[in-house]
Amino acid sequence: MATSFIRTPRQHEQDCHILHSYFSGNFGVISNEEVVRIFVNRDSNALKLVCQTYSHWYGQDLLQFVSNVQRNNSFARIAYLRMVEPYERDAQLLRHSLFGGSLNLNTLIEVACTRPSSELLQIKHCYQTQYKSDLEKDLTMKISGGFKEILVTVLRSCRNYSSKVDMSLAMCDAKTLYEALESGKNIDQRTIISVLSRRNNGQVRAILSSYKQLYGHELSKSVKRSKYGQFGKELQVVIRCIQHPEKFFAKQLRMKNADGREILIRTVVTRSRIDIKGINKAFATKTGSSLENLVVREFGSSKNKNNDIVVGILVGLIKGG
């Protein structure tokens, strides 16, 4: 399904009519393809306009409506993730990962390590506004061990946001990290944390690239050795996610989790037009199957109208890249 942001002047009004007919149960006057097209082809600004117009016409907050039913409705979950502001969405994901019952480290790593530093700043501000609480303090309170120190360091590093990558500095930092890993019997955790805390995510990726260029292997492979202990294992997870987010997401999609459908929906929606093609490729390399096939296996076996739309949207977003 082709992706297009070319809009007629009244396109958002037509979209409102389609969504209102669908949510009112008037399925006979619209097609699945019309609903799918809205959530595949519209960008975030267009969807925001749809929500505003919907509220004006029908006196109902569309975003709040889909939010209220998203827990048990896959289509509503997709609609909500597509329509909500990305910073608000990610702040909610972090909050739920920390206080939604059991601690969800994978989602915390996902947001902290795959969002650009400029976005992390906005997410932290949104978290503070929404929950009247500091994200770094909440994370420190809920997480123990090396992950606490490493993830807080990643969150703090976004304060040093800059759009420019300094390759000379990256080379120097790569040498510093090599010394911290190789110069003694034990890993120099303090130096590693110090370097990571002063470099944003883009600069960290440059450091990791420089490390491989200088020493012939990735830093994540260095910390696999037993002498680095639990801290090394946890550092490896975070570094791999920063350096190769597509592999991180592909691994999450391969795991048999109770919330597997949520992970699939969230990955496709949040990574569409970013790196979903790379995730699809990494997934296929490990499984011999595509994300499109995974979507059909998860949602395509039911005759439920909602599931037909879910498959249409997810496959459309994957193909659209």
Side-chain angles (χ1 to χ4, degrees), residues 12-28:
H12 62 282
E13 297 178 0
Q14 296 173 17
D15 291 347
C16 285
H17 172 71
I18 291 168
L19 292 178
H20 186 258
S21 296
Y22 178 85
F23 289 124
S24 299
N26 298 324
F27 302 134

Side-chain angles (χ1 to χ4, degrees), residues 250-284:
K251 184 176 181 179
Q252 296 305 304
L253 291 166
R254 298 197 310 272
M255 295 172 66
K256 300 297 182 181
N257 294 318
D259 58 347
R261 285 189 169 189
E262 160 66 14
I263 294 172
L264 176 56
I265 288 172
R266 190 175 71 239
T267 299
V268 173
V269 172
T270 63
R271 306 309 291 182
S272 65
R273 305 188 183 102
I274 299 175
D275 57 0
I276 194 63
K277 287 187 179 296
I279 295 169
N280 200 0
K281 182 178 180 180
F283 183 82

Side-chain angles (χ1 to χ4, degrees), residues 34-59:
E34 289 177 294
V35 179
V36 168
R37 194 176 299 118
I38 293 171
F39 291 101
V40 172
N41 292 354
R42 310 297 182 250
D43 62 13
S44 59
N45 289 329
L47 290 172
K48 184 187 298 185
L49 186 57
V50 168
C51 288
Q52 292 170 353
T53 304
Y54 195 98
S55 177
H56 176 72
W57 276 10
Y58 303 112

Side-chain angles (χ1 to χ4, degrees), residues 138-162:
D138 286 350
L139 194 147
T140 300
M141 178 178 65
K142 297 292 289 186
I143 300 179
S144 59
F147 272 127
K148 174 173 70 175
E149 191 171 17
I150 297 166
L151 288 176
V152 169
T153 295
V154 172
L155 290 174
R156 287 176 178 168
S157 70
C158 70
R159 300 170 185 170
N160 306 308
Y161 166 67
S162 171

Side-chain angles (χ1 to χ4, degrees), residues 287-298:
T287 66
S289 185
S290 67
L291 289 183
E292 293 97 318
N293 290 337
L294 178 60
V295 168
V296 172
R297 287 200 303 272
E298 287 291 336

